[in-house]
Amino acid sequence: MEQTQTVQNPLGYKKIPSLLAAFAIPSIIATLVSSLYNIVDQVFIGQGVGYLGNAATNVSYPLTTICLAISLLIGIGSASRFSLSLGAGEQEEACRVVGNGICMMLLSGIIYAVLIEIFLYPMLNAFGATAENLSYAVSYSRIIALGMPFQVITTGMSNLIRADGSPKYSMTCMLIGAVINVILDPVFIFIFHLGVAGAAWATIIGQFFSFLSAILYIRKFKSVRLERKHFRLTLKGCAATASLGMSNSLNQVAITLVQVVMNNSLTYYGAMTVYGKDIPLAACGIVMKTNAILLAFFIGLSQGSQPIIGFNYGARQYPRVRRTYRLAITCSFVISSIGFILFQFFPYQIISLFGKGDALYYEFAIHFMRTFLFMVIVNGVQLISSNFFSAIGKPVKGLLLSMTRQVFFLIPLVLILPLFAGIDGILYAGPVADGIAFVVSVALISLEMKKMRQLERE
């Protein structure tokens, strides 16, 4: 059964470059589109409201990263289990995985939206809101919360759709919402003068239509035939899904923690400089969301390679697993080199897209981008390697690796370095953490590849 399943499924026999292109390109586009929701808001808010509006969206951004963490916990976990089950020829188990995952998405999205509405003020204050931007942040976040269930289901389903062999449909789901968001943002902000609230409404309307597209796919699965009996929550199924999605999810949680620590550190140390509190906050939001575009390529590569790696590892075709990983890493280096050039040589042009500011604002934002993103050229290795371990069913290693940059290195450095270098210490923490995380990733992957070759010989 196992061999038959491998022969029949293109993941088991098609050339790796064509497979990776077919899965990764739509995944990259879908991830870019997801990132663009916040970036488009930031651009139009910067033009229509000003840098206080940008500071406010930066303060509320952790709400979105937490939502993404929930989506990836369930989506990547379900997709990894789904691919491994298909590779092993376990059709019925694959059906149960999908049904359990969709139920998890729905329940978690609703619970998260309710928690935001109840605890919004304490959360925004913890995220670094100031007296000047709090009202903007509240107005934006209360509306954004309504769309969280849509975002969880759409992002989670997109991973399952991709694992089912429909990466273009997955991409289309995300693209629909982004196009609607881009159209409605200027209408609500500049014509109806709704400010940050207008940007929020544009976002959730786009998310709703993406959600509808994702839900319609439930009846279109190609690899399995879903029935009503499969749509039930089981504790064992939820735990198995969470274990494989944990590394990707906690990476997003770590990003949230970094954002909170950085926001509070920037306001604290910024108050001691000529920049004040809000300029560093606004600059940080722009740099992080610009970097999110580059990270979207790495995430797309890792998610695009996941079905190929998971299926072939389940089918014990280890050479194909290694070739897929190597190709994904090579692509990441090419992309990150382009990002490095843009961040180092064209920071003013990038920052100008997000609205106008005074000389101090541009001075700090350019310095922030060049310094904090100096080591982006190696960022893809840690992210792709972390997802690699989840794809082969080794979530503990994936979890450990996903925590290296954000939790083990970056947060301590953000807290320690400013004691010696002031606000510049926060900026230096980025490249130092990136370099250390790269070394750890190379070490862990080298050991895993050695074990895989040993399994191959046996």
Side-chain angles (χ1 to χ4, degrees):
M1 178 65 181
E2 199 173 279
Q3 183 63 32
T4 302
Q5 184 71 11
T6 301
V7 170
Q8 290 178 345
N9 197 310
L11 293 173
Y13 65 83
K14 272 194 172 182
K15 291 183 178 180
I16 297 300
S18 60
L19 275 176
L20 188 59
F23 279 82
I25 291 174
S27 179
I28 288 169
I29 294 172
T31 311
L32 278 171
V33 165
S34 183
S35 300
L36 284 174
Y37 272 115
N38 291 288
I39 292 170
V40 167
D41 284 352
Q42 191 103 34
V43 170
F44 284 116
I45 288 170
Q47 300 289 343
V49 180
Y51 75 86
L52 279 179
N54 275 337
T57 56
N58 182 40
V59 166
S60 65
Y61 191 56
L63 296 175
T64 300
T65 54
I66 293 171
C67 182
L68 185 56
I70 297 169
S71 306
L72 293 178
L73 177 74
I74 305 168
I76 293 291
S78 297
S80 296
R81 289 182 65 203
F82 182 67
S83 296
L84 289 167
S85 297
L86 289 179
E90 300 168 351
Q91 296 291 109
E92 186 63 21
E93 177 62 18
C95 290
R96 287 194 291 268
V97 167
V98 174
N100 185 81
I102 293 172
C103 291
M104 286 178 72
M105 294 170 205
L106 177 62
L107 183 62
S108 59
I110 293 172
I111 292 173
Y112 182 52
V114 171
L115 290 175
I116 291 175
E117 296 292 351
I118 295 173
F119 299 107
L120 182 58
Y121 276 93
M123 293 171 83
L124 292 178
N125 286 322
F127 296 159
T130 66
E132 289 78 13
N133 63 48
L134 181 61
S135 61
Y136 292 106
V138 170
S139 176
Y140 185 80
S141 301
R142 282 221 183 276
I143 300 168
I144 285 293
L146 300 175
M148 292 303 178
F150 303 143
Q151 187 173 351
V152 170
I153 293 171
T154 303
T155 306
M157 276 294 296
S158 70
N159 289 283
L160 281 170
I161 293 169
R162 193 180 306 111
D164 187 51
S166 300
K168 290 182 180 178
Y169 191 101
S170 174
M171 173 191 71
T172 302
C173 290
M174 304 301 294
L175 206 55
I176 289 170
V179 170
I180 292 172
N181 185 30
V182 169
I183 293 171
L184 293 182
D185 254 333
V187 173
F188 289 167
I189 293 175
F190 299 114
I191 297 177
F192 295 125
H193 305 291
L194 295 177
V196 293
W201 281 116
T203 297
I204 68 168
I205 291 171
Q207 288 171 344
F208 175 73
F209 284 97
S210 288
F211 157 79
L212 287 181
S213 301
I215 289 298
L216 287 174
Y217 190 83
I218 292 175
R219 292 184 176 273
K220 300 179 181 180
F221 269 86
K222 298 186 295 187
S223 305
V224 294
R225 185 176 180 82
L226 297 173
E227 299 175 12
R228 184 174 294 182
K229 66 180 181 179
H230 297 130
F231 292 88
R232 48 189 297 229
L233 282 172
T234 64
L235 185 60
K236 182 179 179 182
C238 291
T241 294
S243 69
L244 290 182
M246 189 67 72
S247 64
N248 289 272
S249 176
L250 287 185
N251 192 49
Q252 290 299 317
V253 172
I255 290 172
T256 304
L257 290 175
V258 168
Q259 192 73 52
V260 172
V261 171
M262 286 193 64
N263 284 353
N264 285 282
S265 297
L266 286 167
T267 54
Y268 178 78
Y269 289 101
M272 302 177 187
T273 68
V274 294
Y275 305 116
K277 295 180 178 180
D278 287 298
I279 284 179
L281 270 181
C284 179
I286 291 170
V287 170
M288 291 301 187
K289 289 176 183 177
T290 302
N291 188 41
I293 296 177
L294 188 64
L295 292 177
F297 283 93
F298 304 147
I299 293 169
L301 276 170
S302 66
Q303 291 181 353
S305 63
Q306 178 269 322
I308 309 168
I309 290 171
F311 183 91
N312 285 287
Y313 193 85
R316 298 184 178 87
Q317 297 202 100
Y318 302 122
R320 290 177 63 82
V321 174
R322 290 197 301 273
R323 287 200 296 272
T324 304
Y325 173 79
R326 285 198 297 267
L327 182 57
I329 289 294
T330 302
C331 292
S332 78
F333 273 120
V334 174
I335 294 165
S336 61
S337 298
I338 297 170
F340 176 83
I341 292 169
L342 291 174
F343 296 150
Q344 295 302 314
F345 296 101
F346 304 100
Y348 180 86
Q349 289 81 355
I350 294 171
I351 293 161
S352 297
L353 295 173
F354 293 87
K356 298 178 181 179
D358 57 23
L360 283 175
Y361 167 74
Y362 279 109
E363 177 186 311
F364 184 80
I366 290 171
H367 179 48
F368 196 135
M369 181 170 285
R370 282 178 170 160
T371 307
F372 194 80
L373 302 181
F374 186 74
M375 288 292 287
V376 293
I377 201 162
V378 298
N379 276 2
V381 175
Q382 184 253 351
L383 204 154
I384 292 172
S385 300
S386 172
N387 199 60
F388 170 83
F389 284 112
S390 296
I392 65 173
K394 297 188 177 183
V396 175
K397 289 184 178 180
L399 173 61
L400 175 66
L401 196 52
S402 70
M403 293 292 98
T404 52
R405 180 187 183 270
Q406 312 288 1
V407 176
F408 300 154
F409 306 135
L410 186 55
I411 290 178
L413 288 168
V414 166
L415 294 173
I416 294 169
L417 292 183
L419 298 175
F420 305 97
I423 198 168
D424 279 349
I426 300 172
L427 314 190
Y428 299 145
V432 174
D434 290 338
I436 301 173
F438 169 71
V439 173
V440 173
S441 299
V442 170
L444 287 177
I445 283 292
S446 298
L447 288 173
E448 191 60 39
M449 292 300 177
K450 185 178 179 181
K451 290 179 182 178
M452 206 178 296
R453 289 190 181 90
Q454 185 175 346
L455 285 173
E456 199 176 332
R457 287 193 297 270
E458 292 173 355

